[in-house]
Amino acid sequence: MSTTYTPPADPLVLDGVTYKSRLLVGTGKYKDLEQTRQAIEASGAEIVTVAIRRTNIGQKPDEPNLLDVIPPKRYTILPNTAGCYTVDDAVRTCRLARELLDGHSLVKLEVLGDEKTLFPNIIDTLKAVEILIKEDFKIMVYTNDDPIVAKQLEEMGCIAVMPLAAPIGSGLGIRNPLNILTIVENAKVPILVDAGVGTASHAAEAMELGCDGVLMNTAIAGAKNPVLMGYAMRQAIEAGRAAYLAGRIPPKRFASASSPLEGLFF
């Protein structure tokens, strides 16, 4: 009698909380709140990031509230500082998120350098981390793919480090896989690829490198069918993680016979 294989439990743990899904998703760029709800549900994500400066989660009582379709009782809301280009703006936004979400201290920090590349301003990111750590925020930090910077952010107290795969919204996939691999190998906190994923194979690659998760928004919301893409990303994350845990064969330059030559019948 055949049985269905069940992989071993492999939860993601962030700030002491256990999650089944290793896919984190954003809430921007959808055509409406209903599509947002459907796509996020299809993705299986349990952590949903929200741009506090762009999304209504209670700041405007007379407008639709995202939390009506992404309820905090079901999802972990991860407020982020998207659109912040200074230390002061990023810190102020985190404080606002804490106020709006009743003392919520988990935040995704990003301090951007310029509007064209949306690369992180590392110097200002470090300054913001220093301030927010003293105020007891739990910081998941967006950074470049520099292993030295990633380690420094970890040592400062960030609970997760989130190197970009490529520029935000570019869909280019992982441009420097060896840098990401080095960051993963040196880390003692979760490493989650953030920005640049375009399709399911990119998400799988990140997981095969050993990343603990992937955060994405445009890749799902910008697809022709966001709900189906959310589902595709869910499968890719699971497959990539399973392949990483299974331990892939080492690449070889030349062929290697699948069947041994010894013991041939003729």
Side-chain angles (χ1 to χ4, degrees):
M1 183 176 67
S2 63
T3 58
T4 301
Y5 174 74
T6 301
D10 178 41
L12 170 65
V13 180
L14 283 171
D15 192 30
V17 180
T18 299
Y19 299 96
K20 294 180 181 179
S21 175
R22 292 176 177 272
L23 175 59
L24 293 72
V25 296
T27 55
K29 302 184 179 180
Y30 291 99
K31 70 176 184 179
D32 54 36
L33 289 182
E34 178 57 20
Q35 187 182 71
T36 304
R37 183 193 67 78
Q38 292 178 7
I40 292 175
E41 189 171 287
S43 76
E46 298 167 281
I47 302 174
V48 180
T49 187
V50 177
I52 295 299
R53 299 182 63 162
R54 300 171 180 163
T55 307
N56 181 33
I57 59 170
Q59 309 97 306
K60 300 179 180 179
D62 297 331
E63 296 184 9
N65 189 330
L66 177 69
L67 300 186
D68 291 338
V69 297
I70 309 296
K73 289 185 178 180
R74 179 175 178 181
Y75 298 96
T76 293
I77 304 300
L78 178 62
N80 69 59
T81 61
C84 292
Y85 291 85
T86 69
V87 174
D88 288 345
D89 281 351
V91 170
R92 188 182 306 113
T93 300
C94 288
R95 291 170 179 164
L96 175 61
R98 175 178 273 176
E99 182 178 338
L100 289 170
L101 295 170
D102 299 323
H104 189 87
S105 62
L106 181 65
V107 295
K108 181 200 166 191
L109 174 67
E110 51 185 86
V111 186
L112 303 176
D114 64 72
E115 295 184 3
K116 182 177 181 180
T117 67
L118 298 181
F119 283 155
N121 181 323
I122 297 302
I123 294 174
D124 283 356
T125 297
L126 294 169
K127 291 177 181 177
V129 167
E130 187 173 12
I131 294 170
L132 293 169
I133 288 290
K134 291 178 181 178
E135 297 185 13
D136 296 324
F137 281 94
K138 307 294 184 181
I139 304 169
M140 300 173 64
V141 61
Y142 167 67
T143 184
N144 58 22
D145 57 7
D146 183 336
I148 306 303
V149 171
K151 192 63 180 178
Q152 185 173 358
L153 290 165
E154 174 189 324
E155 292 173 347
M156 291 178 73
C158 294
I159 67 163
V161 177
M162 307 178 74
L164 55 80
I168 292 173
S170 67
L172 291 172
I174 299 176
R175 297 292 86 194
N176 291 305
L178 294 181
N179 280 22
I180 298 295
L181 180 60
T182 301
I183 291 172
V184 169
E185 290 176 340
N186 292 337
K188 295 181 180 178
V189 298
I191 302 298
L192 299 95
V193 157
D194 177 17
V197 168
T199 190
S201 60
H202 299 159
E205 180 184 8
M207 301 309 296
E208 289 172 2
L209 288 170
C211 292
D212 296 280
V214 179
L215 188 151
M216 65 182 75
N217 183 191
T218 305
I220 297 176
K224 292 181 180 179
N225 185 334
V227 178
L228 184 57
M229 185 60 82
Y231 176 78
M233 291 299 187
R234 176 180 187 168
Q235 304 302 307
I237 293 287
E238 293 176 359
R241 180 65 179 180
Y244 169 74
L245 294 175
R248 63 154 290 163
I249 62 170
K252 298 178 181 179
R253 183 179 177 187
F254 298 109
S256 176
S258 298
S259 301
L261 298 178
E262 297 81 6
L264 294 177
F265 292 119
F266 55 87

